[in-house]
Amino acid sequence: MFPKERRKEIISIVNSTGFATVDDLAKRFAVSVDSIRKDLKVLQKEGKIKREYGGALKVDGPVAQTQPHDSVAETVALQRDAEDDGRRAVAARAFLEINDGDAIFLGVSRTNLYLADMIASSDKRLIVTTNMIDVLPRLARNPKVTALATGGYLNVHLNGFTGPATISLLEPLLFSKAFIGACGVDLAKSAVLATSVDDGRVGEQVLKNASHCFLLADEGKFAIHGGYRYASVSDFSAIITDSTNRDILAAIASTGTPVLC
């Protein structure tokens, strides 16, 4: 299959499921993960998908094919800025839940990068465990923070540690609070989704080890219904979101899970 044909099928898969992982696409088309990543890079530039850690997301709403390239690029950039604003808002609310002396866990999540920056700029003494590599240099800026990396199998697409070794290293660690992301949240099924089984099982272990576990979900996550289900919404102490959509908030409330925003 030629790359152009493969990219058309990728668009169809992402539009029908809402999300597709790099690993799954590579297996489906019997090509390398590097080939898939190049495909996703091209499709994102064309405004046909949105790239996320480990995969691709459906673009909400049609993209006009008659737009000039610069206009498409500008539209994608604006979408990315809006998403980052949502993640910053979620991170800022999450930071309010952290107290001096807490032992916390930060999972693989772009929102947690913003949360790590806030922690690094604070005067709180914390023990922070993470399986996300990019979190570590941020935390290193604050001498009051003791940062621990889980180790394990390095998933280069997530830029974090996953797999059985990571889970084994997590088993003896207890956290007062954990902040975990998701590739999507299907409220109709009360399903919290991960990009892969390995990623999801890390989340399962952290849920067992944390006294309070917070799900970080900007509004865009509630439109994604594809991925590996690793938890139910009600498994979390609370959902932290920037969404003000009444339908979304009502659906969360129906699960009995508090919403923090």
Side-chain angles (χ1 to χ4, degrees):
M1 179 181 291
F2 293 108
K4 188 174 182 179
E5 297 171 328
R6 186 172 64 240
R7 288 165 191 162
K8 287 182 179 179
E9 290 204 26
I10 290 173
I11 295 170
S12 177
I13 292 168
V14 172
N15 285 341
S16 63
T17 63
F19 180 83
T21 69
V22 171
D23 289 340
D24 287 345
L25 291 172
K27 291 176 183 177
R28 183 185 184 98
F29 295 107
V31 297
S32 69
V33 293
D34 286 338
S35 295
I36 295 297
R37 293 174 73 183
K38 289 176 183 177
D39 290 338
L40 299 185
K41 185 175 181 180
V42 171
L43 293 175
Q44 178 177 251
K45 285 183 178 179
E46 294 175 352
K48 294 176 181 175
I49 57 103
K50 292 189 290 185
R51 294 178 70 188
E52 184 60 88
Y53 279 112
L57 307 177
K58 178 181 178 181
V59 173
D60 295 327
V63 177
Q65 298 302 313
T66 56
Q67 287 182 304
H69 175 76
D70 289 346
S71 180
V72 172
E74 183 178 355
T75 299
V76 173
L78 290 172
Q79 289 173 339
R80 179 64 66 190
D81 288 343
E83 291 167 0
D84 285 346
D85 286 344
R87 294 185 181 103
R88 288 189 187 96
V90 172
R93 182 61 185 84
F95 182 73
L96 298 178
E97 298 300 316
I98 301 174
N99 298 319
D100 190 59
D102 278 345
I104 68 173
F105 177 83
L106 301 183
V108 174
S109 165
R110 195 174 302 170
T111 301
N112 272 336
L113 296 179
Y114 294 117
L115 183 52
D117 284 334
M118 294 173 190
I119 291 171
S121 300
S122 76
D123 61 355
K124 296 177 181 180
R125 291 189 178 276
L126 304 169
I127 298 174
V128 183
T129 302
T130 184
N131 65 327
M132 187 175 187
I133 291 175
D134 289 341
V135 164
L136 297 169
R138 287 167 162 81
L139 297 179
R141 301 199 302 263
N142 188 341
K144 293 185 178 181
V145 174
T146 300
L148 303 176
T150 62
Y153 168 73
L154 175 60
N155 185 316
V156 295
H157 308 300
L158 296 175
N159 201 26
F161 299 109
T162 62
T166 301
I167 294 170
S168 295
L169 291 163
L170 279 169
E171 283 179 351
L173 301 178
L174 299 179
F175 312 110
S176 50
K177 290 156 190 169
F179 300 88
I180 306 179
C183 74
V185 182
D186 187 341
L187 290 172
K189 298 177 181 177
S190 190
V192 182
L193 309 167
T195 59
S196 67
V197 173
D198 284 343
D199 185 29
R201 287 180 176 167
V202 170
E204 291 173 13
Q205 184 63 52
V206 173
L207 278 165
K208 295 177 183 177
N209 292 21
S211 298
H212 301 282
C213 203
F214 298 94
L215 175 62
L216 308 180
D218 56 272
E219 184 164 347
K221 294 297 190 298
F222 297 103
I224 301 167
H225 300 153
Y228 170 76
R229 176 178 185 154
Y230 73 90
S232 296
V233 171
S234 58
D235 291 331
F236 290 84
S237 304
I239 293 182
I240 302 179
T241 183
D242 66 318
S243 178
T244 57
N245 183 299
R246 292 182 179 180
D247 292 336
I248 290 175
L249 297 179
I252 297 172
S254 69
T255 68
T257 305
V259 180
L260 304 178
C261 46

